Amino acid sequence: MIEQAKVIKTENQYQSYLSEVQALLLADPEIGSAESERLELLTVLLENYENQNYPVEAPDPIVAIKFRMQEKGLKQTDLVPYFGTRSRVSEVLSGKRPLTLQMIRALSVGLGISAETLIGEPETKGRTDQEIDWSRFPAKEMVARGWIQKATGQAKRTIEQQVQDFVAQIGWQLGDAAFKRSISGEAFSPTTKYALYAWLSRVIQKARERKPNIGKYAESALSTQTLRELAQLSWFEEGPKLAVEYLEKMGVCVVLEPHLKGTMLDGAALKDIDGTRVIGLTIRHDRLDNFWFTLLHEVVHIWKHVGEDDTFMDDLDSSASTDKREAEANRLAREALIPRVVWKRSDAHLSPSKEAIDTLSRELRINPAIIAGRIRREKGNYRLFTELLGHGEVSRVLSYLSHEGQA
């Protein structure tokens, strides 16, 4: 008789459950079985114990800014547009001057640091309680991308009328309030609302163009096994293309569309009005490690979270989300790529090196970029193993998707 799982209170109990999880992972239990349910329960208990005993404190705003500077290779002079002058940059980073609301807004949009981190107050996600201001859509960029035409002369329809027609094509409900679709995720903010809705409109249009290539979706199609199979497609040189084809056969449409200026968007997950499941990817960071984590994160949203009127828009550089659905998507994506019990005991985690990365890559049959990316993120050192990340590989393999729907 299997002992009933309990909240972990001791290190010995933690190690015991860790060993049991390893054994269950090796057994690869069938989804829905008692063993599978116990595996999921133990995983949650282990994560809860780790969070309580090895908590990650919310970063100080200045620490968060300096961390993002290091990540992006920025110098103090690069922050002048957000602060106004060089002296203000120096004073803020040295703690002599507090952040102003204007600085916080600029940093949130420009560097992708959440307002929660900068001011200690959670942002309100997806609020749509103001009337639509069509003039705030990024019309110039929409014209440049060929989504709408440049207005020339009085007889031509105005830019704002074209924007309205562009959005109306996808059948979203519009009324006195702004858009009725509920938006969640770290990429959404009031500042970028109109740019994100324009991007979403384009993604849905491209998804409808691809619909003849998409299989019929079944509610039972996605599972932890699906995530594992997707992760192992990363082992192949054409892995991103194989993953897209795999998902399309299962009824999930994958669309590529670069993000619009000012947005910090990696991916999105939604259901179209006809029920088609859609994943939108920006390839904002054209690296294999980012692609695979973003794809699996969005697949979890499709599997577990997307409803009739829900859309998830994700900035996966952000780590301050309080949304349990985002936390679950992160956890399941991480577990599918590199199971926790394997990671904690691997040399790649304990003593990172190219040799250790190669060994774990072969053991799990996943691309080395995924392992290198996890090491970089956990250590907060984005200069490590840059040569292993597969820069430019995603756009190369998925070039056929990038060129679809271009005017």
Side-chain angles (χ1 to χ4, degrees):
M1 181 176 179
I2 300 176
E3 179 185 355
Q4 182 178 0
K6 299 178 181 179
V7 174
I8 302 174
K9 296 182 179 180
T10 67
E11 183 67 21
N12 287 339
Q13 188 182 4
Y14 170 76
Q15 292 295 335
S16 175
Y17 282 177
L18 200 61
S19 297
E20 185 176 352
V21 165
Q22 183 177 30
L24 287 169
L25 285 171
L26 291 173
D28 194 19
E30 183 179 350
I31 302 301
S33 66
E35 291 78 8
S36 175
E37 294 295 327
R38 183 169 178 84
L39 174 60
E40 186 169 352
L41 174 58
L42 291 179
T43 299
V44 172
L45 292 174
L46 287 168
E47 187 172 65
N48 182 62
Y49 180 82
E50 291 170 354
N51 290 339
Q52 289 181 351
N53 289 271
Y54 312 105
V56 179
E57 296 182 359
D60 175 88
I62 305 306
V63 173
I65 294 170
K66 290 181 178 179
F67 178 81
R68 189 54 55 90
M69 287 174 64
Q70 179 183 3
E71 177 185 356
K72 294 180 176 293
L74 301 177
K75 300 178 181 178
Q76 287 196 16
T77 54
D78 297 318
L79 299 188
V80 172
Y82 308 115
F83 292 89
T85 66
R86 290 189 179 187
S87 61
R88 287 181 184 173
V89 175
S90 178
E91 290 170 356
V92 170
L93 294 183
S94 65
K96 296 178 181 179
R97 175 190 287 266
L99 287 167
T100 66
L101 182 58
Q102 185 176 359
M103 293 176 187
I104 289 170
R105 287 173 175 169
L107 290 167
S108 180
V109 174
L111 296 186
I113 304 173
S114 71
E116 181 179 9
T117 297
L118 293 170
I119 63 177
E121 295 180 5
E123 295 180 17
T124 301
K125 305 292 180 184
R127 289 190 58 181
T128 56
D129 56 356
Q130 299 188 10
E131 293 185 0
I132 304 166
D133 184 352
W134 296 102
S135 67
R136 294 183 62 188
F137 276 82
K140 289 184 178 179
E141 197 169 358
M142 294 170 74
V143 169
R145 294 195 183 192
W147 299 356
I148 60 177
Q149 296 180 353
K150 185 176 181 180
T152 56
Q154 295 294 328
K156 299 293 184 181
R157 294 180 64 79
T158 67
I159 287 290
E160 289 186 19
Q161 288 172 326
Q162 290 190 62
V163 170
Q164 291 183 46
D165 290 345
F166 177 80
V167 174
Q169 291 179 39
I170 65 172
W172 275 347
Q173 291 180 310
L174 306 177
D176 293 335
F179 303 95
K180 302 297 184 182
R181 183 173 285 267
S182 175
I183 305 293
S184 301
E186 287 300 318
F188 188 85
S189 75
T191 306
T192 61
K193 178 175 69 173
Y194 289 95
L196 290 172
Y197 275 116
W199 182 87
L200 267 182
S201 300
R202 181 58 177 161
V203 165
I204 292 176
Q205 288 174 13
K206 292 177 76 171
R208 291 176 183 176
E209 293 171 3
R210 293 189 56 76
K211 189 173 179 180
N213 304 322
I214 311 303
K216 185 176 181 181
Y217 182 80
E219 294 294 340
S220 60
L222 302 180
S223 64
T224 53
Q225 182 62 32
T226 306
L227 297 178
R228 290 173 189 164
E229 291 173 358
L230 279 169
Q232 292 190 327
L233 289 177
S234 70
W235 180 254
F236 301 97
E237 183 178 355
E238 299 291 304
K241 181 179 180 181
L242 295 174
V244 170
E245 294 173 347
Y246 177 92
L247 287 169
E248 290 184 340
K249 289 180 181 178
M250 303 185 76
V252 179
C253 182
V254 180
V255 172
L256 297 191
E257 183 62 48
H259 68 292
L260 291 166
K261 293 178 182 177
T263 65
M264 307 296 289
L265 182 63
D266 291 303
L270 65 143
K271 184 192 295 187
D272 198 358
I273 55 178
D274 66 353
T276 302
R277 275 67 173 178
V278 180
I279 289 175
L281 301 175
T282 68
I283 317 298
R284 179 163 67 104
H285 303 298
D286 191 356
R287 307 189 316 259
L288 289 172
D289 65 314
N290 182 267
F291 168 81
W292 288 105
F293 184 80
T294 302
L295 181 68
L296 266 63
H297 182 100
E298 304 306 339
V299 169
V300 174
H301 280 322
I302 293 291
W303 171 26
K304 288 182 169 287
H305 306 139
V306 167
E308 293 299 328
D309 296 314
D310 295 307
T311 293
F312 291 85
M313 306 190 74
D314 295 303
D315 166 15
L316 297 179
D317 284 340
S318 175
S319 58
S321 177
T322 57
D323 191 322
K324 292 182 179 180
R325 297 168 299 180
E326 295 296 339
E328 183 176 35
N330 284 335
R331 176 174 63 80
L332 290 175
R334 283 196 304 266
E335 191 67 19
L337 292 167
I338 310 176
R340 175 191 290 102
V341 67
V342 176
W343 177 244
K344 293 290 185 181
R345 296 178 177 178
S346 69
D347 288 339
H349 170 63
L350 298 172
S351 182
S353 67
K354 289 183 180 180
E355 292 74 16
I357 290 173
D358 182 68
T359 298
L360 184 58
S361 168
R362 294 175 184 277
E363 177 185 343
L364 296 176
R365 292 190 64 79
I366 61 173
N367 195 286
I370 296 169
I371 302 168
R374 182 152 178 178
I375 293 171
R376 286 156 55 92
R377 189 170 183 88
E378 287 194 357
K379 289 188 172 298
N381 186 347
Y382 291 89
R383 298 178 182 177
L384 295 173
F385 307 117
T386 55
E387 69 279 12
L388 299 180
L389 300 180
H391 286 281
E393 286 299 299
V394 182
S395 58
R396 180 188 67 80
V397 175
L398 297 182
S399 59
Y400 73 102
L401 282 180
S402 301
H403 297 148
E404 285 187 348
Q406 290 186 354

